[in-house]
Amino acid sequence: EVQLVESGGGLVKPGGSLRLSCAASGLTFTNTWMTWVRQAPGKGLEWVGRIKRKIDGETVDYAAPVKGRFTISRDDSKNMLYLQMNSLKTEDTAVYYCSTDLMEFWGQGTLVTVSS
Amino acid sequence: DIQLTQSPSFLSASVGDRVTITCRASQGISSYLAWFQQKPGRAPNLLIYDASTMHSGVPSRFSGSGSGTEFTLTISSLQPEDFATYYCQQLNSYPRTFGQGTKVEIK
């Protein structure tokens, strides 16, 4: 059974930083492109970014609102996906989900609240 | 970026009704479209990919069609567990944009 479990969410002040983690199991993580998606309270889904697998160069693409502030990385030895979020803004407040790139599997989400 | 516009944004229907949701893309995306169902407080669930291919375990009352710029999700006979919000997403290019969602509520 595939499981994706996010952690690391919480309350942070504007301008602050936070690192989210996603622990993957039940799939060949090394061969899987991974994605982050977020959802602001009461709003729709927003694609954040995607990281390819190592043999594809671990290339990362980002959505415009987070480019230059967020960094997606992975550690295949630990089956872990990360989202480093810097220079956080109030509009980054959302539930953050990790998913496989084709989005057939999702985590339960972790809430990030950016507020003073 | 490719914009996806869903219609309607809100839909009120009864159990047993046939329901159709439309997703229009701002430019052609071939058949690179997926549909998701999301219930409150839960992660989205993939229903359909490649515009018309049902994901494993999805009930056969769900179907998708379309290509290019216009796509539809049809629920042939709405069931109580189908009341949820539905999203389309394009996988033609990055950023992988979503539609704004269609909320299906009980009439």
Side-chain angles (χ1 to χ4, degrees):
Chain A
E1 179 193 4
V2 174
Q3 280 201 313
L4 300 173
V5 180
E6 302 95 337
S7 60
L11 176 63
V12 60
K13 288 181 167 50
S17 297
L18 208 58
R19 187 176 87 152
L20 306 184
S21 300
C22 171
S25 60
L27 75 167
T28 308
F29 186 75
T30 302
N31 281 344
T32 306
W33 294 14
M34 296 295 295
T35 290
W36 287 97
V37 174
R38 68 183 180 182
Q39 186 168 35
K43 302 296 184 183
L45 300 170
E46 181 182 21
W47 183 88
V48 172
R50 176 234 67 225
I51 185 166
K52 295 183 179 179
R53 58 186 179 172
K54 186 167 187 152
I55 63 169
D56 295 321
E58 284 192 14
T59 309
V60 186
D61 284 292
Y62 297 98
V66 308
K67 196 168 185 178
R69 300 188 298 122
F70 289 14
T71 301
I72 298 174
S73 62
R74 62 191 296 158
D75 184 340
D76 289 350
S77 69
K78 297 179 181 177
N79 284 6
M80 293 292 293
L81 175 72
Y82 302 104
L83 179 64
Q84 177 67 44
M85 304 184 293
N86 298 331
S87 303
L88 282 161
K89 306 176 181 180
T90 55
E91 53 263 41
D92 294 319
T93 294
V95 173
Y96 285 74
Y97 297 100
C98 68
S99 74
T100 49
D101 186 53
L102 296 179
M103 301 199 176
E104 67 271 45
F105 302 109
W106 294 68
Q108 83 289 351
T110 187
L111 175 62
V112 172
T113 303
V114 184
S115 174
S116 54
Chain B
D1 297 359
I2 296 173
Q3 310 301 319
L4 296 180
T5 303
Q6 290 182 231
S7 60
S9 295
F10 177 85
L11 190 161
S12 182
S14 301
V15 172
D17 283 354
R18 181 181 182 88
V19 166
T20 298
I21 299 168
T22 298
C23 178
R24 289 188 174 87
S26 59
Q27 62 191 77
I29 57 171
S30 186
S31 296
Y32 297 117
L33 189 99
W35 289 97
F36 298 87
Q37 177 193 68
Q38 187 181 33
K39 296 181 180 179
R42 305 290 299 274
N45 285 317
L46 176 65
L47 296 175
I48 287 168
Y49 61 94
D50 291 344
S52 61
T53 304
M54 273 204 304
H55 183 50
S56 173
V58 173
S60 59
R61 61 182 179 273
F62 290 92
S63 63
S65 65
S67 67
T69 61
E70 186 150 338
F71 303 84
T72 59
L73 172 70
T74 299
I75 309 172
S76 60
S77 178
L78 201 63
Q79 298 301 300
E81 60 268 31
D82 300 337
F83 292 96
T85 301
Y86 294 83
Y87 296 91
C88 58
Q89 186 207 23
Q90 62 84 17
L91 293 91
N92 181 76
S93 62
Y94 291 98
R96 289 204 175 152
T97 43
F98 288 92
Q100 83 278 12
T102 296
K103 188 172 185 179
V104 178
E105 289 201 342
I106 302 172
K107 183 182 281 186

